[in-house]
Amino acid sequence: MKPLKAELMLLVVTLFWGSSYIFMKMGLGTLGEFNLIALRFGLAFCLAAVLFHNRLRRVDARTLKYGALLGFLLLGVFTCITFGLKTTTTSNAGFLVALTVIFVPMIDVLVFKKRIAPPQVFGSILAIAGIGLLTLNATLTIQPGDFLCILAAVFYAVQILVTGKAVKTSDSLTIGILQLGFAGGFALVLSTLFETPSLPSTLPGWIAILALGILCSACGFILQPVAQKYTSPTRTGLIFSLEPVFAALFGYWFAGEQLSIQGYTGAALVLLGIIASELLGKISFSRISEEPERI
């Protein structure tokens, strides 16, 4: 797969995930947080397992371990987001989770000792400035829900980096399927301990679970590791920073959420950060040592 095709695939995944915030809001109207996560990833795993059952018959111990680890990280991401959505807006959640674009290169440098090209640093700075304008209020305070969404971004960044490492030694599609099953299983255990597991009782609840399970999870988290194999973790993080833009659009269309002038300015900076990183990054392509081998 060529890098451009892989990155376009990641863009489609980002569109699905941008819509997920509005669906999570819908689902939380009738379901508990862990219950929602369990149904979402449980449905996605069942669909993926039926379609690709032959892959699951050849799972080795290494792939199983990576699937469990990525499933745990996904649980961390979506536990923070679902609880955070109770005290913050769809748009805020989307933009705060986009802090992933900063945490990915930061962790990549600190933990994996990778070099980050200056254009990517510049693009990340623009993106984080935009995120700040979109989310911080006049007193520069952060609500509990906003803090949880920032924590989700940390989990998200680690998940991206671990995925990048995992797909180099294990089958990417199998890992994508297994992480769904583990995330749903972990959430079901927590739902049993702290909630009363149940199926949706309303039409909006079913719409939310089906959309989250099929599009946002089954398609999204299977395509992610497949596509990520052919691009770098930093580029993946930058593409994923479009997620809050899509989240804001869905919030506007379906929930009537609107951004202020400051918010629109922030959204513009996020986009400029991505464009600067991508376009300027191509100019210095030959000097970037973090790009993976093209297959």
Side-chain angles (χ1 to χ4, degrees):
M1 183 185 298
K2 293 183 178 180
L4 178 59
K5 183 177 180 180
E7 288 164 8
L8 288 174
M9 188 180 295
L10 288 173
L11 184 63
V12 173
V13 170
T14 305
L15 175 64
F16 288 156
W17 289 344
S19 69
S20 69
Y21 297 93
I22 194 68
F23 289 122
M24 281 189 280
K25 278 276 191 182
M26 291 172 57
L28 288 172
T30 57
L31 296 170
E33 290 81 8
F34 293 122
N35 193 8
L36 177 67
I37 297 171
L39 288 173
R40 170 182 181 167
F41 289 110
L43 173 60
F45 173 73
C46 290
L47 291 174
V50 169
L51 292 174
F52 304 103
H53 61 276
N54 290 331
R55 296 292 187 102
L56 297 179
R57 293 177 180 176
R58 302 189 298 270
V59 175
D60 56 28
R62 179 190 295 271
T63 302
L64 194 65
K65 290 178 181 178
Y66 273 126
L69 176 57
L70 290 172
F72 173 77
L73 292 172
L74 282 183
L75 176 66
V77 171
F78 289 96
T79 296
C80 292
I81 293 175
T82 51
F83 279 93
L85 280 170
K86 299 180 72 174
T87 55
T88 192
T89 64
T90 298
S91 300
N92 270 27
F95 285 112
L96 284 172
V97 174
L99 283 168
T100 302
V101 75
I102 301 303
F103 293 134
V104 165
M106 185 183 301
I107 296 173
D108 217 10
V109 170
L110 295 176
V111 178
F112 299 105
K113 310 300 181 184
K114 294 291 186 67
R115 290 174 52 203
I116 302 298
Q120 292 173 324
V121 175
F122 175 67
S124 296
I125 291 173
L126 285 179
I128 191 61
I131 291 167
L133 287 174
L134 280 159
T135 58
L136 296 177
N137 57 30
T139 60
L140 300 180
T141 58
I142 298 179
Q143 300 299 318
D146 294 333
F147 173 78
L148 285 172
C149 290
I150 293 173
L151 185 58
V154 176
F155 277 109
Y156 216 157
V158 176
Q159 194 266 354
I160 290 173
L161 291 169
V162 173
T163 298
K165 181 177 176 62
V167 296
K168 292 179 181 179
T169 57
S170 301
D171 180 69
S172 55
L173 180 57
T174 303
I175 288 175
I177 297 170
L178 289 175
Q179 68 177 347
L180 298 175
F182 278 107
F186 293 151
L188 180 59
V189 171
L190 292 174
S191 179
T192 302
L193 291 175
F194 302 108
E195 302 168 346
T196 303
S198 64
L199 293 174
S201 58
T202 64
L203 179 59
W206 276 109
I207 292 174
I209 290 301
L210 292 175
L212 289 169
I214 297 172
L215 298 179
C216 304
S217 298
C219 293
F221 287 105
I222 291 174
L223 292 178
Q224 179 207 351
V226 172
Q228 194 177 330
K229 184 175 182 179
Y230 303 97
T231 189
S232 70
T234 299
R235 285 182 180 271
T236 300
L238 288 166
I239 293 171
F240 285 171
S241 69
L242 275 173
E243 182 177 325
V245 178
F246 293 134
L249 289 174
F250 281 104
Y252 173 76
W253 289 333
F254 298 104
E257 296 179 357
Q258 297 188 32
L259 298 175
S260 62
I261 294 178
Q262 175 179 315
Y264 284 115
T265 302
L269 284 177
V270 170
L271 292 175
L272 285 174
I274 295 168
I275 293 171
S277 179
E278 287 298 297
L279 295 183
L280 296 179
K282 293 182 186 299
I283 296 175
S284 59
F285 176 79
S286 61
R287 299 194 298 274
I288 299 177
S289 61
E290 72 167 334
E291 292 292 336
E293 179 182 357
R294 304 308 188 190
I295 299 176

